[in-house]
Amino acid sequence: QLQLVESGGGLVQPEGSPRLSCSASGFTLENYFITWFRQSPGKEREWVSCVSATGRIIKYADSVKGRFTISRDSARNTVYLQMNSLKPEDTAVYYCAAGHRTVVGCVSSSSTMNYWGKGTLVTVSS
């Protein structure tokens, strides 16, 4: 079964630093660029960050630049999103998605994704 599974969400205090994981089963992530999205209650889905299949290209949304770090661990077939200095407005369901590396670099367009996880909820609150 080919799937992506996110983990690492939960209740976090403001300024907290959780790390989200996006793990694949049934396929290897090295053939895919990985993109993180998030969706807050009542809002549209928002692109957060992406990393190319090679790991050489990394992009961040302005809203998280300088606070979030995306990384790949090929040995674990996992991509991480380290989130620092969290704010209440970061509260959202975070999704990872994989797009095939035939797309150069990494992109934010959800239509280019081949696989999606079901999401993990991050709630930032004191």
Side-chain angles (χ1 to χ4, degrees):
Q1 186 177 2
L2 308 179
Q3 61 178 356
L4 289 174
V5 178
E6 303 93 338
S7 61
L11 178 62
V12 182
Q13 292 197 339
E15 298 299 315
S17 300
R19 186 179 74 168
L20 303 184
S21 299
C22 173
S23 299
S25 61
F27 66 104
T28 177
L29 287 182
E30 68 181 18
N31 293 321
Y32 295 83
F33 68 89
I34 303 300
T35 299
W36 285 95
F37 296 89
R38 68 184 181 184
Q39 188 165 19
S40 303
K43 295 186 178 180
E44 293 188 354
R45 186 168 56 202
E46 173 190 18
W47 170 73
V48 175
S49 179
C50 66
V51 58
S52 65
T54 63
R56 296 192 192 104
I57 296 173
I58 289 176
K59 302 176 184 177
Y60 298 99
D62 287 343
S63 58
V64 306
K65 197 173 295 182
R67 299 188 298 124
F68 290 12
T69 302
I70 192 170
S71 61
R72 308 183 67 112
D73 186 337
S74 298
R76 289 179 169 80
N77 208 27
T78 298
V79 171
Y80 301 104
L81 186 68
Q82 176 66 50
M83 305 190 294
N84 298 326
S85 303
L86 282 184
K87 308 173 184 179
E89 52 263 42
D90 293 315
T91 294
V93 177
Y94 285 74
Y95 301 90
C96 65
H100 198 267
R101 65 186 302 163
T102 49
V103 173
V104 176
C106 66
V107 299
S108 59
S109 172
S110 56
S111 64
T112 62
M113 307 303 163
N114 300 102
Y115 301 103
W116 288 84
K118 294 182 179 180
T120 185
L121 175 63
V122 176
T123 302
V124 184
S125 174
S126 55

